[in-house]
Amino acid sequence: MVRGSDNGSEKMAEGDNSAELLKEKANQYFKEKDYENAIKYYSEALELNPTNAIYYSNRSLAYLRTECYGYALADATKALEIDKNYIKGYYRRATSNMALGKFKAALKDYETVVRVRPNDKDARMKYQECNKIVKQKAFERAIASDETKKSVVDSLDIENMTIEDDYAGPKLENGKVTLAFMKEMMDWFEDQKKLHRKCAYQILVQVKEVLSKLPSLIEIALKETEKITICGDTHGQYYDLLNIFKLNGLPSETNPYLFNGDFVDRGSFSLEVILTLFGFKLLYPDNFHLLRGNHETDNMNQMYGFEGEVKAKYTAQMFQLFSEVFQWLPLAQCINNKVLVMHGGLFSEDGVTLEDLRKIERNRQPPDSGPMCDLLWSDPQPQNGRSISKRGVSCQFGPDVTERFLNQNKLDFIVRSHEVKAEGYEVTHSGKCITVFSAPNYCDQMGNKGAYIHLRGSDLKPEFHQFTAVPHPNVKPMAYANTLMQMGLM
């Protein structure tokens, strides 16, 4: 009996040792920023020792780095179930909730940390920052009234804004965007110079008017000889956007583009990206298309940098106008009645039709569920059916879900973005679900390629074009992000 007990103890010790070796291997991958392999080996360590809070906490951080906030939240919660005194678990869970815009839940965990460590300056700073956001949100809800809310446009007097004599940058010609203006503005931005606020406001007011007249589902027809270029997330990587135009040509009536959301946040040149894209939308309204991503929303902009960037380079008022404009971005685009493009993906329930998408009232912040939320947030998965989202919002959908949706709506395939891919694109669900991502070396650390897609009217067969990151000025990603996200994620 004693010998058997010894053998059992030895096996447990061997299992613990093996788990520790796997954890060390995962830690090394994490240091090398290979988060997928880090997650893999933390998971293997947990299979051998499923009661180790540290393994769950470490994997939670790796999930945070890959934007799998739902999984990160679950792991942090599990770590705390195993050891309620494990302080890092509270930090991880708070960061996960912050990333999901669940500020009250995050505040509760920061309160716990401060209570346990009253002299921890970092913990107290995070608690105060989070508390400030919770109070700000409560104030905004208290004064919000859709009936009385006025547009920023109503309070602007653009005509009487003075352009100072020492401003040598681009100006709209008689208040209109021209190709010459666009070329001059792109060069100006490339030199890290700021567009005059009058010009920025002119662009925003005009593009709001253009977007507000569009339907939620854009439908276009390509002739046999025509092609369109579809780009995925650009995330404030302005110099990579310029590279796309260098490789593929400037937008024009004969070189149409579709940019599939997530123009801003994370990258620290988001203003330059979005003003360039809005300028081309004004120049070629029927040949340059923009769809909304999950980062064209207030919560994401508050956490991931765009709000901070606009306030740093211009004003809080200008950010409010950006927020208004983002709400008018269309949600999906159908090409030749055969290809549907959206930022996120398909739906939490079967039976959604193109007609349902046409009827979406989009001029709002996205809801937590339903078709509008899914269009911005969902992701494909390899197995059939649906599962809880790794992001903590919307769902993951399998090849059978894609097949049923395409059959019901007489479509051939979908194109979506929303996820970093090592090659810049990925083809899944037997060719019926294509992901394209156009921010190479995402956040200056992922090492991924970027890609864009050509679709031709003759056959709608996707042609993939890959590219690598180009140098940019020494401004780090997330430079304008909320300090809680900078510390929690970067």
Side-chain angles (χ1 to χ4, degrees):
M1 292 293 290
V2 173
R3 192 177 297 116
S5 175
D6 287 348
N7 285 343
S9 298
E10 285 173 16
K11 281 182 180 176
M12 281 179 66
E14 283 174 17
D16 287 347
N17 288 337
S18 297
E20 274 297 297
L21 289 171
L22 288 165
K23 183 198 84 171
E24 291 305 318
K25 194 170 184 180
N27 286 349
Q28 188 55 43
Y29 276 117
F30 187 93
K31 283 178 189 169
E32 294 167 3
K33 299 177 179 175
D34 184 347
Y35 303 120
E36 298 298 333
N37 269 317
I39 289 165
K40 176 187 172 187
Y41 288 107
Y42 288 136
S43 301
E44 289 183 14
L46 281 164
E47 285 173 21
L48 292 175
N49 186 352
T51 59
N52 190 306
I54 294 170
Y55 299 173
Y56 278 108
S57 178
N58 286 7
R59 190 172 70 174
S60 176
L61 186 57
Y63 278 136
L64 282 167
R65 294 289 175 90
T66 56
E67 302 183 20
C68 297
Y69 306 128
Y71 288 175
L73 184 61
D75 272 0
T77 301
K78 186 70 178 173
L80 291 170
E81 286 171 5
I82 293 167
D83 181 1
K84 69 178 191 305
N85 297 316
Y86 184 55
I87 292 297
K88 273 190 181 175
Y90 291 102
Y91 270 120
R92 299 280 183 269
R93 191 164 68 179
T95 305
S96 305
N97 276 315
M98 288 294 290
L100 290 165
K102 297 177 179 178
F103 306 115
K104 280 187 178 177
L107 184 62
K108 195 174 177 185
D109 281 336
Y110 286 132
E111 280 174 350
T112 302
V113 177
V114 169
R115 194 166 58 247
V116 174
R117 293 182 175 173
N119 298 320
D120 186 328
K121 287 183 181 176
D122 180 60
R124 183 159 295 282
M125 184 280 297
K126 287 180 177 175
Y127 166 75
Q128 289 169 345
E129 183 71 21
C130 188
N131 193 32
K132 190 167 77 177
I133 293 171
V134 169
K135 286 180 176 174
Q136 180 189 337
K137 292 286 179 188
F139 175 72
E140 286 169 0
R141 281 194 301 275
I143 64 169
S145 168
D146 287 339
E147 290 75 30
T148 59
K149 191 175 180 184
K150 285 188 173 180
S151 169
V152 171
V153 178
D154 298 332
S155 62
L156 292 174
D157 184 7
I158 296 175
E159 286 301 312
N160 289 316
M161 285 183 187
T162 305
I163 297 182
E164 296 76 15
D165 292 339
D166 61 353
Y167 174 74
K171 302 171 191 171
L172 276 70
E173 296 175 25
N174 299 316
K176 298 293 182 187
V177 169
T178 62
L179 182 57
F181 168 82
M182 288 304 299
K183 288 178 177 177
E184 191 181 350
M185 183 174 74
M186 287 189 288
D187 290 343
W188 189 252
F189 284 157
E190 191 173 7
D191 291 338
Q192 287 187 271
K193 294 175 181 174
K194 193 170 78 170
L195 185 67
H196 194 278
R197 68 189 181 102
K198 178 171 184 171
C199 305
Y201 273 124
Q202 285 174 311
I203 289 170
L204 285 172
V205 170
Q206 290 176 32
V207 87
K208 182 186 177 188
E209 187 177 350
V210 168
L211 293 174
S212 66
K213 291 175 181 172
L214 297 175
S216 292
L217 172 65
I218 303 292
E219 295 170 89
I220 66 164
L222 291 179
K223 294 175 184 170
E224 275 213 10
T225 55
E226 293 175 332
K227 80 169 192 315
I228 190 168
T229 301
I230 303 175
C231 299
D233 304 36
T234 44
H235 274 302
Q237 296 186 198
Y238 180 68
Y239 295 83
D240 294 307
L241 174 66
L242 292 183
N243 191 38
I244 291 172
F245 292 149
K246 183 179 175 184
L247 295 170
N248 192 60
L250 284 177
S252 69
E253 290 176 353
T254 56
N255 191 25
Y257 278 83
L258 164 53
F259 280 83
N260 194 24
D262 280 15
F263 321 119
V264 301
D265 282 339
R266 295 197 175 273
S268 296
F269 301 96
S270 292
L271 252 169
E272 290 76 7
V273 167
I274 193 63
L275 287 173
T276 300
L277 295 179
F278 281 170
F280 277 121
K281 181 64 185 172
L282 291 173
L283 189 57
Y284 305 115
D286 299 325
N287 306 97
F288 192 85
H289 307 281
L290 301 169
L291 298 181
R292 192 175 186 178
N294 64 301
H295 276 267
E296 279 69 58
T297 57
D298 286 356
N299 269 358
M300 293 290 109
N301 295 162
Q302 184 172 30
M303 300 310 300
Y304 291 99
F306 185 58
E307 181 177 345
E309 184 179 343
V310 179
K311 286 179 176 177
K313 295 177 180 177
Y314 292 100
T315 61
Q317 182 192 49
M318 187 178 285
F319 174 73
Q320 287 304 316
L321 184 51
F322 269 110
S323 175
E324 288 183 31
V325 176
F326 286 167
Q327 294 187 165
W328 282 115
L329 285 163
L331 302 174
Q333 185 149 337
C334 193
I335 302 170
N336 286 22
N337 300 313
K338 289 298 178 186
V339 180
L340 187 68
V341 185
M342 75 290 281
H343 179 72
L346 296 181
F347 308 97
S348 302
E349 295 179 352
D350 283 345
V352 177
T353 65
L354 296 184
E355 185 57 32
D356 294 326
L357 304 189
R358 291 185 190 102
K359 291 176 181 174
I360 293 175
E361 296 286 342
R362 70 185 187 276
N363 182 26
R364 57 183 296 198
Q365 293 302 309
D368 294 332
S369 60
M372 181 174 173
C373 172
D374 296 331
L375 283 168
L376 300 180
W377 278 99
S378 72
D379 294 293
Q381 64 180 22
Q383 69 272 26
N384 279 340
R386 292 179 175 87
S387 63
I388 294 169
S389 171
K390 61 190 177 185
R391 300 175 190 268
V393 184
S394 186
C395 70
Q396 292 173 193
F397 59 94
D400 58 329
V401 175
T402 301
E403 189 72 31
R404 287 194 299 273
F405 174 80
L406 294 175
N407 287 341
Q408 181 177 5
N409 290 284
K410 298 182 174 61
L411 297 166
D412 290 347
F413 59 92
I414 65 169
V415 177
R416 40 90 61 183
S417 301
H418 195 39
E419 286 183 287
V420 186
K421 297 298 173 186
E423 295 301 311
Y425 72 94
E426 186 178 60
V427 181
T428 54
H429 296 184
S430 303
K432 303 290 178 69
C433 177
I434 294 167
T435 299
V436 60
F437 192 84
S438 304
N441 194 26
Y442 180 46
C443 283
D444 287 0
Q445 66 179 26
M446 298 304 285
N448 60 292
K449 292 175 184 171
Y452 51 85
I453 299 172
H454 285 162
L455 284 186
R456 298 179 187 278
S458 53
D459 58 8
L460 296 177
K461 184 182 174 186
E463 297 171 9
F464 302 100
H465 299 265
Q466 297 168 294
F467 58 98
T468 53
V470 294
H472 64 75
N474 188 25
V475 181
K476 288 189 169 74
M478 302 281 277
Y480 302 96
N482 182 282
T483 51
L484 290 171
M485 298 316 296
Q486 290 173 341
M487 292 169 190
L489 291 179
M490 295 307 289

